[in-house]
Amino acid sequence: MAGPVSSCEILRGSPSLTPEANTEILKALNRSGVHLEESVQGAPNWKQTQKVALLHTAVYFPEFVRAPKWRANAVAFLEGQLHDSTYPDGGYWEATDGYARAYASRYVGIALFMGEHGIEFSATTKAKLRELARFLMDQTFPNGQGPVYGDSEPQDLRSTLRRLGELLGDEELIHVGTSGASGQEPGHTSSLYPDTRVAVSRSGWTAEDSYLRLNADRGNHSHADELGITAYAFGRPLLPDMGTFNYSSDPRAQWLRKSTEAHNTIEIDNRAQDSTAAGAITHMVTNPVFDLIGARTEASQGALHERSVLSLSSGLWVVSDRLKPADGAAHRYEQNWHFASAASPSLGSGRKAATTAFGDGANISVVPADPGKVSASLRDGHYAPAMYRVESAEYASYVKTAAGRTTFDTLLLPSSGAAGPSVTVERIPVGSTPTHQATALGLGLGERGDAVYYKSWTTRAPRSFGSYTFDGKLLYARTGAAGQSIVMVDGTSIERDGAILVMSPEPVKDLAVRIGADGTVHIDGSGLTASVDPARAIAIAAPAAAEVVLNGTPVPFHRDGRLIYAAAAR
């Protein structure tokens, strides 16, 4: 009806418009209004369009007897529709950022039109629109582009976020929508949407910051990409979603939209996932230095897939996958990592690391932990940089066939320039504990130094691996020329070669310790309070400590030999 309403404005001054023709047009508009008052159909964006047409008819043709009821009906429906089309956490019901952007943007236009004619959305509806707007903001790449999940294409979301911010008086939306030129920087970085089943880890809001998105979402326009990862760093999507191309039966479009193989996740037994199956983001631990995300999906008939991602704000990701088959038979597991068509990836023959070689700017190394247990190859795929465009693109494929529980551990290491050729990952045995219960890796990070990574898939228990003994759920410890750092989740004790690195009287939910070459010790963690009491404070090995900063604030510390005490878990 938006078309006929606009046409009336054009035709009403035309000498060709007879009274009889005008009457028939008005009758048709009235019949359409009566129909749209009672009936809408289709997806949320279709229903939105139909009720907007009814609202326009009511506003521009107040002479219709039912115009006041149409106006009230349209506004009430649009308010209810906004609530019905979003999850309680604010995420959009359809699993696509393209449709989410268009849907939210249309509400800006609706609100402005209503305001011109003395109509307003309720405060509750404005609050819901703000939730949807912030969901879009949190999904956005650091450079302002959309992450291209589901049926979508690369789009700049900044103008939409700016308009939403101006409409709602939200300075954080304005900040992201103007690339920091106006407004106020968001007070958070990472975000969890448990109802929408999406988690985003980011180091900040500038174009050079790092970003990783992990999803277990579902809904209209979703792809078979449960537990899929999209990653961005140093100004570029390094592990992108490969896009949509179009909705036709073209084999390339079908591969992009319908196959699991076309996404950064694991395909089981050569079959696409069922994205309507049960799944969840099971947990997200956030800290200024790192995020830890856990997720699970039953989307593959052959096995339960669990994925854990350690995301460091310094720009490094470690991905641990665990597969739990429903039977004792052997299953084929294919872990895939996708790159843009200009990435020029190569695959090392020994460590089987996949590295990109863009002509300039950022690159990434994908390094598996057990190269001898997987078949690795670069395979031919497709990449849609925009709707109705498709290009050839190679991707890295790691395949294993196994019976019983099995795992993949993978280092994803972005770099601002050429990918580091000396990056290595070595498996460290955790006694006789199988990798589906606990996994440990030695990481050679080139100029960044060396690190040890440990993850327990089970309850907390003291375990030894290499020179370390640890009783928590996750540990990452790095040493390098710039200093050393420790990341710990849900633990009390870390020892190296029998010497205490960290010891807490109480379990610590999340802890990050960074010891600089200048003697400054940064301690970050949830629920930590300043304390120099050795009976309740956390002991940290920092023999050269000169200053301690706890969650951004300088605090006093007590020294006892090589240990310092400055913070306690509540």
Side-chain angles (χ1 to χ4, degrees), residues 142-286:
N143 65 356
Q145 297 289 312
V148 199
Y149 61 89
D151 289 336
S152 189
E153 64 179 334
Q155 291 182 330
D156 193 328
L157 301 186
R158 285 174 291 188
S159 63
T160 297
L161 295 175
R162 175 185 54 77
R163 293 176 68 230
L164 283 162
E166 291 170 350
L167 173 70
L168 300 168
D170 191 311
E171 292 296 312
E172 294 187 355
L173 289 170
I174 293 172
H175 179 91
V176 178
T178 60
S179 296
S182 301
Q184 179 179 335
E185 182 175 317
H188 68 284
T189 51
S190 301
S191 54
L192 170 64
Y193 288 84
D195 304 309
T196 313
R197 303 192 332 203
V198 170
V200 173
S201 172
R202 68 168 73 235
S203 62
W205 296 94
T206 71
E208 293 301 305
D209 278 302
S210 62
Y211 165 110
L212 180 140
R213 181 180 187 272
L214 178 65
N215 86 86
D217 58 6
R218 70 283 187 211
N220 284 359
H221 297 287
S222 65
H223 287 187
D225 63 349
E226 301 300 281
L227 306 198
I229 283 174
T230 306
Y232 169 111
F234 302 112
R236 167 178 288 153
L238 293 170
L239 296 172
D241 188 287
M242 303 310 283
T244 296
F245 182 31
N246 59 39
Y247 295 115
S248 75
S249 59
D250 184 296
R252 296 167 297 178
Q254 290 292 299
W255 185 79
L256 287 167
R257 297 183 63 234
K258 302 298 185 182
S259 79
T260 298
E261 188 179 53
H263 299 88
N264 298 315
T265 185
I266 293 179
E267 181 187 73
I268 302 175
D269 292 334
N270 293 305
R271 290 183 292 189
Q273 296 172 341
D274 173 10
S275 60
T276 65
I281 304 294
T282 55
H283 61 272
M284 184 173 187
V285 178
T286 60

Side-chain angles (χ1 to χ4, degrees), residues 339-347 355-359 363 378 394:
F339 316 109
S341 52
S344 301
S346 61
L347 190 68
T355 56
T356 61
F358 286 97
N363 284 283
L378 289 178
E394 289 185 301

Side-chain angles (χ1 to χ4, degrees), residues 14-152:
S14 170
S16 301
L17 182 65
T18 65
E20 292 78 15
N22 189 45
T23 299
E24 291 303 315
I25 291 173
L26 292 174
K27 285 181 178 179
L29 286 173
N30 184 66
R31 287 194 298 269
S32 297
V34 170
H35 172 75
L36 289 178
E37 182 183 2
E38 301 296 333
S39 175
V40 289
Q41 55 186 300
N45 55 318
W46 292 15
K47 295 176 181 178
Q48 182 191 58
T49 299
Q50 292 161 40
K51 287 300 183 179
V52 167
L54 181 62
L55 178 62
H56 281 209
T57 304
V59 167
Y60 288 131
F61 294 93
E63 299 86 355
F64 285 133
V65 172
R66 297 194 64 81
K69 291 185 177 180
W70 290 347
R71 188 165 96 163
N73 174 277
V75 172
F77 185 92
L78 289 167
E79 290 196 318
Q81 176 66 18
L82 182 58
H83 286 75
D84 293 344
S85 61
T86 52
Y87 291 106
D89 58 19
Y92 185 53
W93 177 70
E94 296 184 297
T96 155
D97 63 303
Y99 282 81
R101 181 204 62 80
Y103 189 69
S105 180
R106 187 69 185 276
Y107 266 102
V108 175
I110 295 168
L112 293 175
F113 173 80
M114 289 168 56
E116 292 172 354
H117 298 280
I119 314 169
E120 270 198 88
F121 281 132
S122 68
T124 302
T125 298
K126 290 178 182 177
K128 194 63 180 177
L129 183 58
R130 179 177 284 106
E131 289 182 358
L132 175 58
R134 285 180 163 268
F135 170 76
L136 278 177
M137 178 183 78
D138 287 335
Q139 306 302 302
T140 303
F141 279 155
N143 65 356
Q145 297 289 312
V148 199
Y149 61 89
D151 289 336
S152 189

Side-chain angles (χ1 to χ4, degrees), residues 383-403:
Y383 174 58
M387 289 292 287
Y388 310 110
R389 285 179 53 198
V390 66
E391 301 169 351
S392 297
E394 289 185 301
Y395 64 96
S397 171
Y398 297 94
V399 178
K400 70 164 64 173
T401 299

